[in-house]
Amino acid sequence: MAMMLLLFVAVLALVLCNVPIAVSLGIVAVVAMLTTHGLAILPNVALVTYNGATNFPLLAIPLFILAGAIMNASGISARLIGFASSLFGWIRGGLAHVSIGSSMFFAEISGSAVADVAALGSILIPGMKARGYPAPLAAAIMSSAATLAVIIPPSIPMILYAVMAETSVVQLFVAGIVPGILGAMGLMGVAYWFARRYDLPREEAFSIARVRTAGREALWAFLLPIIILGGIFGGIVTATEGAALAVIAALFVGLVIYRTLDVAELRKATLEGGVQTAVVMLLVATSALLGTYLTEVQAPQQLAKSVAAFTQNKWAVLALLNLLFLLLGMFLHSAAAIILVVPVVMPLVKAAGIDPVHFGLVVTINLGIGQQTPPVASVLMVASSIAKASIWEVSRFNVWFVGVLIAVLLLVTYVPVTGLGLVELFYR
Amino acid sequence: MTAGNESPGAPAVHKWRAAYGRALEWLVIGLIVALAVEVTIGVAFRTLGRALTWYDEIASVMLAWLTFYGSALASFKRAHIGCPEIVDKLPWRARRAVSIVAQLLVIAFFVLLGGVGVWITPVLATDALVSLPSIPMSVVQSVIPISSALIVIAEGMHLADLVGAKAPPAGTGGVALADGLH
């Protein structure tokens, strides 16, 4: 345990000096390996780092990012917003509900909350401000709703978790469906409360004809993700293959159906997707170095033993891990938290008898909440910057929406059937 | 680097930098497109009952190439996941000093990684991909030394900016590209 603490402090010190996390892991791992094995270990540094980046299931990440980018460059956001507006616009605070509904629909295409808030927030936050919503409230609604993107499949943090924990990404995707819908309903409840308090307007009277027209416009935006996710859930294609099909389908919609593919936007989004993939994959690669060393000294097993000596109760262990991931989420990006911590705590999770799929969902929601809690709160920062409001002002409103997400987390943690119900029904 | 710090040779340097960034961008776009096409072809053949034996091994190699060449672009764009919040709060001189040390550490790591990559290349020349024995592992793993060199160049540019800077650069902070993953 002392060795693990020393390594952790060394990584933390480097990270606080603004050395990229991937490089901090690499430096500490190399020093630890050299100290233990001497210079003879050096060839392994290159081999292990390279092998760490060749994880086939992780291919789904760049492909889902690319599919989302193509769909977005095809003007899909406006169509989804139109459909959500026809469904929810008649409720008091209609635009708030439209924002949450659009985020829920967009979550089927995108696996990233930041992509969700950037694509929808740039349209809906100025819209809400123009309709008299306080800017921080508009940002809080969009920011918290974007978290649905990582809970509802496909989800990039879930893909990462599944690889790190060596568990089924398909089951994890399925487990996210019910909590995602519950989260959306809870967020709408809080939005309604704010709508009454601030006397926010309704948008349009409900009309079946309008729902039908908007639904027809957005049909392909819904249909393709449903077919692809159906293929993945049905075991016809793997998550990686489904992601490749999503790219083709997105190109088909953009070029043939909508004919509105913005090539400049697509190039930019592809590039950003490439960089985003690379930075996370470099983390995976260098964490493989540190992971090799930790496995060698049996650090995860020692951690499991130490916690087991304190408590072996599954629910108490889950409470401890919830606290750990909530704290980590405040200070770490979700990808980094998953890559660094999941392999270390998995022996403990298994020893406590916790289902790895259940735990994956708990981790995902925890880290989704972490994106809303400063100082490191990527989604909140994007929403605040679009709304031109300070993150602290936004947080004053957002705390109520985060409360909903915490309630979903507790429900998922302590009533496992919430997430695992569909998994049990279809896969076990 | 602020405009006030520019030397007479700055425009040429800027041009060279822009060209370097563009080259990396096209490399990354090419890899992503190739990856998507390769996986799609693999799925199509598998669906037709004629699975390609090399499909997943080549896809894994391409993912590794995207990782390391994409990391070079990430270095160029300052997009690696880090925690600049603490250093950004320091007074400018301390911030600059810490940033220079951090930059030197990054460069040292990739010099070591690249050096080891070169060192093991002859050893790997006798190994080959399992599904495509005509492709030696030395070619596949050449990505380590080449991308390390590209990263060192990108990080070296930033180090030169830091060493030459007399005032904090404008417009720091905000959300990194890497945030899009969450």
Side-chain angles (χ1 to χ4, degrees), chain A residues 363-401:
Chain A
V363 168
T364 304
I365 300 174
N366 260 308
L367 296 176
I369 293 168
Q371 297 167 348
Q372 308 291 332
T373 46
V376 179
S378 46
V379 178
L380 181 73
M381 281 168 71
V382 176
S384 305
S385 121
I386 296 171
K388 297 187 175 65
S390 94
I391 57 168
W392 302 109
E393 280 174 352
V394 177
S395 293
R396 274 181 42 226
F397 288 97
N398 204 28
V399 70
W400 300 100
F401 294 100

Side-chain angles (χ1 to χ4, degrees), chain A residues 10 37 39 47 63 92 111 126 137 161 168 190 203 208 274 283 304 331 340 349 354 373 384 386 400 409:
Chain A
H37 299 285
L39 285 173
L47 294 173
L63 297 175
R92 180 173 287 284
L137 173 61
Y161 170 87
S168 160
V190 175
E203 294 307 313
I208 286 285
L283 251 174
F331 298 99
L340 284 178
V349 168
I354 300 166
T373 46
S384 305
I386 296 171
W400 300 100
L409 171 66

Side-chain angles (χ1 to χ4, degrees), chain A residues 50-409:
Chain A
Y50 174 84
N51 287 336
T54 56
N55 207 321
F56 185 76
L58 289 177
L59 267 172
I61 293 178
L63 297 175
F64 272 127
I65 291 176
L66 184 57
I70 296 169
M71 293 282 238
N72 199 32
S74 308
I76 231 161
S77 312
R79 288 179 170 88
L80 288 177
I81 291 169
F83 181 62
S85 183
S86 71
L87 278 181
F88 306 117
W90 57 276
I91 307 170
R92 180 173 287 284
L95 214 43
H97 303 295
V98 170
S99 303
I100 297 163
S102 306
S103 286
M104 190 169 68
F105 298 146
F106 199 76
E108 276 181 63
I109 300 163
S110 141
S112 146
V114 172
D116 191 309
V117 77
L120 300 174
S122 53
I123 303 170
L124 286 165
I125 292 176
M128 282 191 270
K129 280 170 73 177
R131 298 287 281 152
Y133 289 58
L137 173 61
I141 291 166
M142 209 60 249
S143 174
S144 54
T147 296
L148 299 173
V150 295
I151 305 175
I152 293 173
S155 158
I156 288 165
M158 282 183 182
I159 297 171
L160 266 178
Y161 170 87
V163 169
M164 290 297 146
E166 295 173 2
T167 191
S168 160
V169 68
V170 176
Q171 291 187 20
L172 204 43
F173 277 2
V174 171
I177 294 173
V178 172
I181 294 170
L182 286 177
M185 287 164 65
L187 293 177
M188 282 183 173
V190 175
Y192 184 74
W193 180 70
F194 273 116
R196 289 186 69 91
R197 191 172 163 194
Y198 287 91
D199 196 22
L200 299 174
R202 293 180 169 87
E203 294 307 313
E204 51 191 320
F206 184 79
S207 143
I208 286 285
R210 191 174 292 127
V211 173
R212 204 178 298 134
T213 312
R216 209 176 299 129
E217 276 280 298
L219 181 68
W220 287 97
F222 281 113
L223 210 55
L224 289 176
I226 287 172
I227 292 170
I228 290 158
L229 289 175
I232 296 172
F233 295 160
I236 301 163
V237 290
T238 64
T240 307
E241 293 168 348
L245 290 180
V247 172
I248 302 299
L251 277 173
F252 176 73
V253 171
L255 291 172
V256 180
I257 307 288
Y258 292 153
R259 297 181 187 182
T260 49
L261 193 65
D262 180 338
V263 177
E265 184 61 31
L266 178 63
R267 180 186 177 279
K268 188 172 155 238
T270 305
L271 212 46
E272 285 183 5
V275 173
Q276 288 160 10
T277 305
V279 295
V280 167
M281 287 302 299
L282 188 68
L283 251 174
V284 175
T286 54
S287 73
L289 270 179
L290 194 59
T292 305
Y293 180 77
L294 289 176
T295 310
E296 216 176 277
V297 296
Q298 296 206 317
Q301 288 75 6
Q302 285 175 29
L303 175 79
K305 260 190 206 162
S306 306
V307 178
F310 173 63
T311 177
Q312 291 189 357
N313 182 292
K314 173 181 169 178
W315 307 111
V317 171
L318 271 171
L320 285 173
L321 290 170
N322 260 332
L323 273 178
L324 172 70
F325 276 96
L326 274 175
L327 270 174
L328 283 172
M330 289 172 74
F331 298 99
L332 271 183
H333 292 262
S334 58
I338 291 170
I339 293 163
L340 284 178
V341 182
V342 166
V344 176
V345 299
M346 275 325 280
L348 169 63
V349 168
K350 285 177 185 160
I354 300 166
D355 186 314
V357 174
H358 179 207
F359 182 58
L361 189 57
V362 168
V363 168
T364 304
I365 300 174
N366 260 308
L367 296 176
I369 293 168
Q371 297 167 348
Q372 308 291 332
T373 46
V376 179
S378 46
V379 178
L380 181 73
M381 281 168 71
V382 176
S384 305
S385 121
I386 296 171
K388 297 187 175 65
S390 94
I391 57 168
W392 302 109
E393 280 174 352
V394 177
S395 293
R396 274 181 42 226
F397 288 97
N398 204 28
V399 70
W400 300 100
F401 294 100
V402 170
V404 168
L405 298 173
I406 290 177
V408 173
L409 171 66

Side-chain angles (χ1 to χ4, degrees), chain B residues 28-160:
Chain B
V28 169
I29 288 177
L31 281 169
I32 288 200
V33 171
L35 192 56
V37 169
E38 200 263 353
V39 177
T40 310
I41 291 173
V43 177
F45 272 82
R46 192 169 68 79
T47 311
L48 295 171
R50 300 178 65 183
L52 302 169
T53 50
W54 45 265
Y55 139 69
D56 48 354
E57 194 177 16
I58 291 293
S60 298
V61 169
M62 288 172 82
L63 180 62
W65 282 29
L66 177 62
T67 301
F68 293 106
Y69 290 124
S71 291
L73 181 58
S75 282
F76 182 79
K77 289 179 176 281
R78 318 298 308 151
H80 282 292
I81 302 175
C83 186
E85 284 80 0
I86 307 289
V87 174
D88 281 352
K89 285 194 170 38
L90 295 175
W92 165 238
R93 286 166 68 94
R95 180 174 145 194
R96 181 168 163 262
V98 173
S99 299
I100 288 173
V101 172
Q103 208 55 36
L104 287 171
L105 284 171
V106 174
I107 291 172
F109 176 73
F110 283 104
V111 166
L112 175 80
L113 189 63
V116 175
V118 172
W119 183 24
I120 61 170
T121 300
V123 182
L124 295 170
T126 51
D127 283 349
L129 290 181
V130 177
S131 56
L132 288 174
S134 57
I135 301 180
M137 285 304 285
S138 53
V139 171
V140 169
Q141 296 215 4
S142 66
V143 66
I144 295 274
I146 297 173
S147 67
S148 294
L150 294 172
I151 291 170
V152 168
I153 292 169
E155 298 290 347
M157 288 180 202
H158 185 61
L159 180 64

